[in-house]
Amino acid sequence: MKQMKKELSLLIVISLLFSIMVTSVASAAQSTSSTSTTYMLLYVDKVEAFFNGQQIILESPATIIEDKMFVPAKVLGDAMGLKVQWNDATRQIEMTTPGFNIVLDSDHKVVWINGVRYPFDSVASISKEGKLLIKLTWLADYMGARYIYNDELRRVEIIHTQTPPGIYIPNTGNSNPVAKFNFAKATYKTGEPIKYIDLSYDPDAEGLVKYEWGGNQEVFFTPGTYPITLTVWDAHGNKSETYLRNLTVENKPFLSEIEYPIYYKPAGSFIKTDWSVLWGSFWNLPQLPKQATTDDSRKLLVSDSPEEFTEKGILYQDSVKGKGRLYADHINGTKEKVTLAILAKNLTNKPVTIKTTNKGEVWPSVYANLIGNEASVDFLMNDPRSDSMEVPAGQTFIYSQMPEFYPGQGVNLFYDVETTGDIQFSFVATSQVSQSTLNTLPMLAFNGHVRGTFPVSEVHWQVDASSFTKPNRLIIGDGVTDPFQPGYDPMRKQNVLNEGNYGVVYKIHADKPRKMAIMLLAYGGVFKGPIKINGEISLVPQSGVITAFDGMQILARTTGFEESLDIEFTPPAGSAFPIDLIFYPLDDKE
C-alpha cells in the first residue's frame, strides 16, 4: 500500500510539475523576461500572491513544515527564468540555477547538488496538491534570490535580480556573438512584405559568418502573432544565444496571395500557381486595345517542311531581290550525319552582293525547345553586322553552312540579308556541299508544318497602356486576333499560311505606360523563348520549359515614369502558341 501511495504521489508530481501553475504567472514571467528585478509576495497557506505588483492565484501555497518555510518551486522558476523540468529517462526532477545543477530523486528520496548527495526531505517536499516545494533558504543559497519573512503578516517577500549570462570566453580570449534584429514597423497587414532589420554584432569586431533564422517568412497572409528567431555564429564557430521577437500581423488586407508576387517578386521570377487560379483570374482577360500594322519591306523565306527529313535533298528554294529573311528549322531524320547549308545562286548576268545585317544560329541539339530558344536569343540580340559576299553572274556560292548534325539532332537559324540583285536561296541537307550540289539533290516533298515565302516579316502593334485600371492582355499567335501571315510556296505552287508566324518579329510599342507588371502565360502548350523589353532580353523560363498548367513569369515592371515601352519578340521554334502577354496595373501601396 505504501508503495502504491509513493507511485501515485510521484505521478501527481510529474503530471502537474510541468503544467503552468497559473496562467497569469506564466504571462507575467514572459512579459518581464528582460526585467532585471523580480518582486514576489507569498502568504503562508494562502493561494493569493503578488508578482511585480500584479495579483495572481497559486495552485499550491507557501507552507511551513516542521518549522521550516517551503515555497512552490515551479512558479519561482518561471518567474526567475530558472529551469525546473522532469527527465523521463531518469525519473528525476532537474533544476538549473546560476552556478548549480540540482537533481531531485523522489523515488530514492535524495537530492544531488553539483554531485553532492543530500536527503530529499531536508531541502524539498511535495505539497498536498502534488507540487514540488523547496526550502526557503534555497532562494538565497541556490537560486540567487533574497527574501524577508514577516512573521506578523505571515508573508515572504522575495527579490530576485537576474544577471544576464556573460559572453566572454576566457580560455580563448574571444566572445560569443550577439543576435539581434527588429522589424521596420510595429505591426503588419496580411499580404504586406515584412522588413527585418539585422542588428546582430560580434563584440570582437571579427564579423559574422552564419545566420540561422526561424519563422522569418517574407509575408504572412493569415493574421496572428508569429515568433521569429535568429541565431548567429562568428568565424571561430562561437554561437550566440537565440534571439526572439514576436511579429504581429493585423487582420487588415494589404495584398492577396495572387497579388503579392506580382507586386514584389523580382522580374524574371516565375509565379507558381494552380490551374483554378489561372482560369479564374487570368484566362479570359480583356485585350489591350492595339493598332496593328505590317512591314512588307523584307520578305520571309521559311523552310520548315519536311521538318524532320529522312533523306538528303533540297528542303526549300526561292529568290530574294533586296531585303529578305532566311528562316529554317529542321531535324535530321536520316541514319547518318549531314549538314544543313544555304546555297546562293546569282540569277543575273552581273555580280550580286549579299550583305548580312543580322543572324541567329544555334549548335545542333536533340532538344527542339532549346534550339528554338537559343537561335531566337541570338537574333534578338541584333548585333550589328556588315558581313558581305559577292556572287559572280550565274554562279552558285555557299552562303551558310551549319556544323554537321547527327541523327535526331536539329538546327534553327535566321539570317537577314540585303541583295543588290536577284539571288536564289536553296536550303539543302547533304553530306558534302559544293557548287554543283543543286544539280545532284532532289526536291523534298512537303509533309506538314510551314513552308513558303511570306511578304510580311515584321508586325507592329501600337497599344495604349497609359490608363487602364484592370488587368489586360495581348494574345500572340492565335490566328484570330493575331492573324497568321499569308504567303506562297513556289515549290507547291499554292497559297499558304505561316501558322505560328515563325520567323516574324513582333514590335510592340506604348507611349507613357502606367505603372504595371508585364507577365507571360503560355496557354497554347509547351513554351521556351526570349522576349526583349526596352532593350533587355528576358528568358522564359530561366531554365526548362513552361506550360499553362505551371503558372506565369514576370517579364518586367514599369514605374509609370518611362517615356515609352518597347517589346520585341519572335516565336521560337519548338514552342506552341498562342501565348498571352498580361499587363497588370500596379497601385501605389503605402
Side-chain angles (χ1 to χ4, degrees):
M1 181 63 73
K2 288 183 179 180
Q3 181 65 26
M4 291 179 62
K5 288 182 178 179
K6 177 181 176 182
E7 294 296 332
L8 179 60
S9 176
L10 184 58
L11 287 172
I12 294 173
V13 173
I14 296 170
S15 62
L16 297 181
L17 181 60
F18 302 101
S19 63
I20 296 175
M21 234 170 165
V22 186
T23 302
S24 59
V25 173
S27 301
Q30 291 176 7
S31 65
T32 59
S33 60
S34 61
T35 301
S36 58
T37 299
T38 299
Y39 180 63
M40 293 190 70
L41 295 176
L42 304 178
Y43 294 86
V44 177
D45 296 331
K46 291 186 177 181
V47 293
E48 293 84 3
F50 288 88
F51 181 89
N52 288 343
Q54 179 182 353
Q55 185 175 9
I56 58 176
I57 304 298
L58 307 177
E59 290 189 359
S60 182
T63 189
I64 296 176
I65 303 174
E66 297 181 357
D67 297 327
K68 303 294 183 183
M69 175 70 73
F70 285 78
V71 292
K74 186 64 167 64
V75 70
L76 291 174
D78 285 344
M80 299 175 189
L82 306 175
K83 271 189 178 180
V84 180
Q85 60 186 9
W86 169 256
N87 187 324
D88 190 58
T90 62
R91 293 175 56 80
Q92 294 171 338
I93 299 167
E94 298 174 355
M95 297 179 64
T96 303
T97 70
F100 298 94
N101 290 316
I102 302 168
V103 178
L104 299 102
D105 190 333
S106 181
D107 284 348
H108 301 94
K109 291 295 182 180
V110 294
V111 176
W112 300 88
I113 302 175
N114 286 353
V116 180
R117 176 173 174 164
Y118 296 89
F120 185 88
D121 295 338
S122 67
V123 295
S125 179
I126 304 299
S127 72
K128 63 182 180 180
E129 293 84 10
K131 303 298 181 182
L132 174 66
L133 303 176
I134 60 172
K135 193 161 61 172
L136 184 59
T137 54
W138 269 31
L139 292 171
D141 295 341
Y142 301 118
M143 302 184 77
R146 294 181 291 114
Y147 68 90
I148 301 172
Y149 177 64
N150 189 319
D151 185 56
E152 182 180 353
L153 297 176
R154 292 173 59 80
R155 182 179 74 183
V156 180
E157 298 180 27
I158 301 171
I159 302 173
H160 177 257
T161 301
Q162 185 172 345
T163 303
I167 60 174
Y168 183 67
I169 311 169
N171 60 331
T172 65
N174 207 263
S175 302
N176 289 327
V178 178
K180 187 181 296 185
F181 66 90
N182 200 358
F183 308 115
K185 298 173 57 177
T187 61
Y188 285 84
K189 300 175 183 178
T190 57
E192 183 177 8
I194 312 299
K195 184 177 181 180
Y196 301 91
I197 303 173
D198 176 31
L199 302 172
S200 305
Y201 65 93
D202 179 15
D204 306 302
E206 295 172 333
L208 303 173
V209 299
K210 180 181 176 182
Y211 283 73
E212 186 176 281
W213 290 87
N216 62 322
Q217 295 178 200
E218 64 179 79
V219 64
F220 294 83
F221 295 102
T222 303
T225 301
Y226 297 90
I228 314 297
T229 61
L230 174 62
T231 308
V232 297
W233 284 260
D234 65 15
H236 298 282
N238 298 321
K239 176 183 176 182
S240 73
E241 292 292 326
T242 298
Y243 185 77
L244 166 69
R245 291 188 75 93
N246 287 319
L247 174 69
T248 301
V249 180
E250 300 178 295
N251 191 16
K252 297 178 181 178
F254 185 76
L255 290 172
S256 68
E257 290 189 64
I258 296 175
E259 295 171 317
Y260 178 80
I262 298 174
Y263 272 81
Y264 287 103
K265 289 291 186 182
S269 298
F270 192 78
I271 302 176
K272 181 71 177 176
T273 186
D274 57 46
W275 176 250
S276 62
V277 171
L278 292 173
W279 177 264
S281 302
F282 299 101
W283 193 257
N284 293 308
L285 293 176
Q287 292 202 57
L288 202 62
K290 68 177 186 284
Q291 292 180 343
T293 57
T294 58
D295 183 351
D296 58 2
S297 64
R298 181 187 301 277
K299 69 178 179 179
L300 169 66
L301 278 61
V302 177
S303 178
D304 190 23
S305 181
E307 183 172 277
E308 182 174 2
F309 56 86
T310 57
E311 59 181 313
K312 290 173 283 188
I314 299 172
L315 300 160
Y316 186 60
Q317 189 178 79
D318 201 1
S319 63
V320 172
K321 183 178 181 180
K323 291 183 178 181
R325 176 170 299 153
L326 313 178
Y327 177 91
D329 183 51
H330 291 285
I331 299 171
N332 182 2
T334 71
K335 297 182 180 180
E336 58 183 299
K337 63 181 181 181
V338 298
T339 186
L340 180 70
I342 301 177
L343 304 181
K345 181 178 181 180
N346 186 345
L347 301 179
T348 72
N349 58 4
K350 59 182 179 179
V352 174
T353 299
I354 304 173
K355 182 179 179 181
T356 303
T357 57
N358 192 18
K359 75 172 184 177
E361 295 175 333
V362 62
W363 292 97
S365 171
V366 296
Y367 299 103
N369 299 109
L370 175 68
I371 62 174
N373 175 79
E374 296 303 326
S376 299
V377 168
D378 205 23
F379 191 74
L380 289 181
M381 286 172 60
N382 199 23
D383 287 337
R385 305 186 63 83
S386 57
D387 301 344
S388 64
M389 64 184 300
E390 186 177 84
V391 183
Q395 295 292 308
T396 300
F397 278 12
I398 300 171
Y399 169 74
S400 174
Q401 182 176 355
M402 297 296 291
E404 291 179 325
F405 60 119
Y406 289 77
Q409 291 185 325
V411 292
N412 184 219
L413 55 84
F414 296 76
Y415 295 104
D416 273 358
V417 297
E418 296 179 10
T419 72
T420 59
D422 203 4
I423 293 287
Q424 180 190 70
F425 287 99
S426 301
F427 300 80
V428 301
T430 183
S431 299
Q432 299 291 330
V433 185
S434 68
Q435 293 182 339
S436 61
T437 297
L438 291 179
N439 299 324
T440 61
L441 291 176
M443 293 281 188
L444 299 182
F446 174 86
N447 69 349
H449 299 281
V450 179
R451 189 179 77 183
T453 299
F454 304 90
V456 171
S457 62
E458 193 167 288
V459 173
H460 294 184
W461 290 352
Q462 178 76 34
V463 299
D464 181 4
S466 61
S467 58
F468 66 101
T469 58
K470 299 293 183 182
N472 277 249
R473 63 176 173 160
L474 289 174
I475 303 175
I476 298 179
D478 67 342
V480 180
T481 61
D482 174 28
F484 295 140
Q485 295 302 316
Y488 183 75
D489 181 355
M491 294 176 67
R492 287 183 288 162
K493 295 181 172 50
Q494 69 180 58
N495 295 325
V496 293
L497 284 178
N498 186 355
E499 296 184 3
N501 284 343
Y502 294 100
V504 173
V505 172
Y506 289 75
K507 291 188 176 180
I508 303 168
H509 178 83
D511 291 318
K512 297 188 180 301
R514 63 153 295 157
K515 185 178 182 180
M516 61 181 169
I518 305 167
M519 300 178 290
L520 185 143
L521 174 63
Y523 73 88
V526 175
F527 181 87
K528 181 179 182 66
I531 294 184
K532 192 175 184 179
I533 299 181
N534 282 351
E536 185 173 333
I537 294 178
S538 297
L539 301 179
V540 185
Q542 295 291 334
S543 62
V545 298
I546 59 171
T547 71
F549 294 96
D550 299 317
M552 303 174 294
Q553 181 159 319
I554 302 172
L555 303 176
R557 289 189 184 87
T558 56
T559 63
F561 298 101
E562 293 89 353
E563 285 298 316
S564 61
L565 170 68
D566 287 285
I567 301 175
E568 195 170 343
F569 173 75
T570 186
S575 289
F577 287 86
I579 62 170
D580 274 356
L581 291 183
I582 296 174
F583 299 82
Y584 199 101
L586 301 178
D587 298 324
D588 291 326
K589 292 289 184 180
E590 298 294 336

